[in-house]
Every structure is written in structure tokens, then in C-alpha cells.
Amino acid sequence: VNRICRAGVALLFACVLTQGAEYYVDVESCGGKADDAGPGSLGKPWRTLNRVVSDQQPSPGPGDTVWIRGGVYKESMRLLKGGAPGRPLSLRAFRDETPIVDGEGKRRNGIVFAAEGTADHVLLEGVTLRNFAPRGVAVSVTNRTGVTIRKVNVSGVRIGVWLTRCTDCRLL
């Protein structure tokens, strides 16, 4: 019985350690006053997607989830960091909302998983990307491992999703 109790406590402790933080981005300030200088909480969300990838603290990392609220984000995003095996960095649409990354016809690319960074083990889910430059790419993933792109909608761009030299990358 003592062994079972110790195993249960160890499992509970492991679950607590692997559960990451939650951050929020809200370009339209639906859930609270959005400000990139804030904590990224539901009540005080960040305003831009680029705040997610900045070096500013707090900075999302392995096991964390970034909830992207509905609205039109007129920007591009270059991911240089990611998660870890079994602890992905998750970038997900907020429940029942549709975030749109809009290139306005002038930005070349939407979301780039940079080859020179550590943007491995990332989940991108539920985002719409549209209106990038005529030779642009909505989502570009090069030399990455463990990237999952799920339920992403793309329009108004030459190349929707570009996966090259990837290991264990999935488009679902």
C-alpha cells in the first residue's frame, strides 16, 4: 500500500510539473484591456501575436498554451522558440472564436517557424490566415521537429502551408 501511495504522489507531482501556463492574446480587447506590456492573462491579454514570440517576460515556453482570441491580427509572426518533446508550445484559437492573421496583401508570409531558431514541438490550431503577398506563404515550417498544424484555414495566398525538411511534422 505504501508503494502505491508513493507512486500516486509521484504521478500527481509529474502531472503538476507538465501542466504549463496559459496566456491570452486579444487584438480587439474582448476579454479585457489588451496591452503587450501586461501579463497575458484572460483579464489583461496581450494585444499582438508578436508579443508571444518576443523575449519580454513572461515568455511562453514548453507546455504552455497561448489562447488567441477572435479578431483580425494585421501582422506576421516569426517563431524562434517552441516547446519540448511531450510538452509542446500550443498556439490555439480561443473556444468558439476565429482569429484571423491578415497580410493585407503586402506582408510576404504569415506564420514562419524559423529554421535558425528552436521552434520545435509547436501546435498551431484553429487560426485563419489570409491575404499575403502574391508570392507569399501562409505557414512556413523548415528544419523543424514535432510541429502540428491543425484546423488552419488559408486563403488569398500562393502557398498555404510549406513543410520542408521536417521530422514528425503533421498537417491535420
Side-chain angles (χ1 to χ4, degrees):
V1 172
N2 195 13
R3 242 188 260 167
I4 293 172
C5 286
R6 276 188 264 154
V9 169
L11 180 61
L12 177 63
F13 185 67
C15 289
V16 169
L17 286 179
T18 58
Q19 183 179 2
E22 291 187 336
Y23 299 98
Y24 298 82
V25 182
D26 188 354
V27 71
E28 296 183 359
S29 298
C30 296
K33 175 103 173 88
D35 183 353
D36 283 349
S41 64
L42 182 59
K44 294 182 180 178
W46 295 322
R47 183 162 179 73
T48 67
L49 296 173
N50 280 298
R51 171 55 182 86
V52 173
V53 296
S54 75
D55 289 331
Q56 199 173 344
Q57 294 298 319
S59 181
D64 293 345
T65 299
V66 176
W67 294 102
I68 306 170
R69 300 292 308 255
V72 179
Y73 296 82
K74 295 180 179 179
E75 58 183 305
S76 293
M77 183 178 184
R78 186 172 179 81
L79 277 163
L80 292 168
K81 58 186 177 179
R87 297 186 65 215
L89 171 60
S90 298
L91 308 172
R92 304 175 83 173
F94 192 76
R95 62 185 163 269
D96 301 322
E97 295 185 9
T98 303
I100 299 168
V101 181
D102 192 328
E104 301 178 286
K106 55 189 173 188
R107 288 178 193 80
R108 181 175 170 98
N109 300 315
I111 298 176
V112 176
F113 292 75
E116 68 273 14
T118 59
D120 295 317
H121 308 289
V122 176
L123 166 65
L124 175 64
E125 181 176 41
V127 178
T128 293
L129 295 106
R130 68 180 188 199
N131 302 331
F132 290 92
R135 293 190 170 185
V137 178
V139 180
S140 176
V141 184
T142 303
N143 291 337
R144 300 280 42 109
T145 299
V147 172
T148 300
I149 300 167
R150 182 184 308 149
K151 297 181 184 174
V152 170
N153 295 305
V154 176
S155 67
V157 65
R158 183 172 179 217
I159 300 171
V161 178
W162 179 267
L163 298 172
T164 182
R165 295 187 303 275
C166 294
T167 303
D168 194 29
C169 292
R170 289 177 281 248
L171 180 59
L172 308 171

